[in-house]
Amino acid sequence: MPLGAEGFTVIDLPEVAPDILPSYDDCPVDDYMGNGTRFKRFSQYKLTPAEDENWSFKRLPHRDYTTYKKFNSVGGGIRRVYEPIEVDFTPLISEGIRELGLDRSEPWQINVHQNRTRAEGGRPGPLTPEGVHHDGHEFVMIAILNKVNVAGGTTRLWKPGADAPFWSGTLEAGQAVLLDDRGLAHDVTDVLSADGGPGHRDIVIIAFSRWAEKWYGEEHDAAALEEQDA
């Protein structure tokens, strides 16, 4: 397993391009998660091994986001309509790929979630309203790019059946956690205002699945929606 015996690692991120952080100001509100405190864009890519240990990123035609209710009790089993991401996160994603040692014997698919969570006095920003959960993918990368006047947001990792997390940490801007999503569950505590005024936390989440597992397209969407209808 690329992540070692514990199934996770925390890494330092490379500096992002100048257009990345300002792009969070234009993320539309997420109508499905966060009760008005989350703002989001979403895109999907196919990863294909290329020369010199590199990867080719192909942005896939934009689709509604669907996932299974067994993985997300709040936002699963429905179509979630998001605007596509407008900036290039692939250099940052490539850093995660290197750290994961992603299997180069086959192509992969990634879901890329650009999220801003806002908080102010008396109104926290819930980060995982679905509670302790798996996302359903093979690996997940959660990268913190900016934090402005916020507290909270502690990431917690859980082993199967555990009553308490075996690891917790509050990631700072410029850090990411990579985790074995099948071996570990995770949640994140609410974002809070640091001084009672407005604040926000900007992240990008990358979920890695093997292309053969079909996490993209009509077949995947139908299966996720049928689970809700059952």
Side-chain angles (χ1 to χ4, degrees):
M1 182 171 61
L3 297 175
E6 289 195 310
F8 82 101
T9 189
V10 174
I11 65 170
D12 293 325
L13 298 170
E15 185 174 350
V16 297
D19 62 336
I20 295 289
L21 295 185
S23 74
Y24 281 84
D25 296 336
D26 295 324
C27 287
V29 68
D30 185 338
D31 292 325
Y32 311 94
M33 305 284 284
N35 296 322
T37 67
R38 182 178 297 182
F39 299 79
K40 183 179 183 78
R41 290 183 181 271
F42 170 74
S43 290
Q44 296 171 290
Y45 295 80
K46 184 176 182 178
L47 304 181
T48 304
E51 294 181 356
D52 299 325
E53 299 300 311
N54 293 316
W55 290 80
S56 170
F57 288 78
K58 177 185 176 182
R59 187 188 283 237
L60 297 167
H62 192 66
R63 301 181 64 85
D64 298 339
Y65 175 52
T66 61
T67 191
Y68 296 90
K69 199 168 183 66
K70 64 184 176 182
F71 298 126
N72 190 323
S73 60
V74 178
I78 60 173
R79 292 188 181 274
R80 291 153 64 181
V81 181
Y82 297 119
E83 293 295 318
I85 291 170
E86 296 182 331
V87 292
D88 183 11
F89 284 108
T90 60
L92 184 148
I93 296 168
S94 294
E95 188 72 15
I97 290 173
R98 283 191 289 272
E99 292 287 341
L100 286 170
L102 207 63
D103 181 4
R104 296 178 57 81
S105 68
E106 59 185 305
W108 291 69
Q109 187 261 317
I110 56 173
N111 291 339
V112 183
H113 306 261
Q114 180 184 16
N115 293 349
R116 164 171 285 182
T117 298
R118 295 180 180 170
E120 55 187 303
R123 192 183 189 198
L127 295 178
T128 51
E130 65 271 41
V132 179
H133 67 285
H134 302 268
D135 288 334
H137 304 276
E138 190 157 343
F139 303 112
V140 171
M141 175 181 180
I142 305 170
I144 316 302
L145 301 189
N146 198 22
K147 295 169 72 172
V148 176
N149 194 41
V150 293
T154 296
T155 300
R156 304 187 298 186
L157 303 181
W158 306 69
K159 294 183 178 179
D163 295 325
F166 76 95
W167 182 88
S168 63
T170 303
L171 301 178
E172 299 302 328
Q175 292 185 307
V177 61
L178 309 175
L179 59 94
D180 171 5
D181 185 53
R182 293 176 177 168
L184 302 176
H186 66 279
D187 71 341
V188 188
T189 64
D190 292 353
V191 166
L192 309 172
S193 167
D195 64 6
H200 60 264
R201 176 181 182 265
D202 297 340
I203 70 170
V204 61
I205 301 171
I206 303 96
F208 296 84
S209 299
R210 295 173 193 268
W211 182 257
E213 294 180 359
K214 299 186 185 301
W215 272 83
Y216 173 85
E218 293 288 345
E219 183 176 341
H220 164 73
D221 292 349
L225 297 173
E226 286 169 5
E227 182 199 44
Q228 171 67 5
D229 293 338

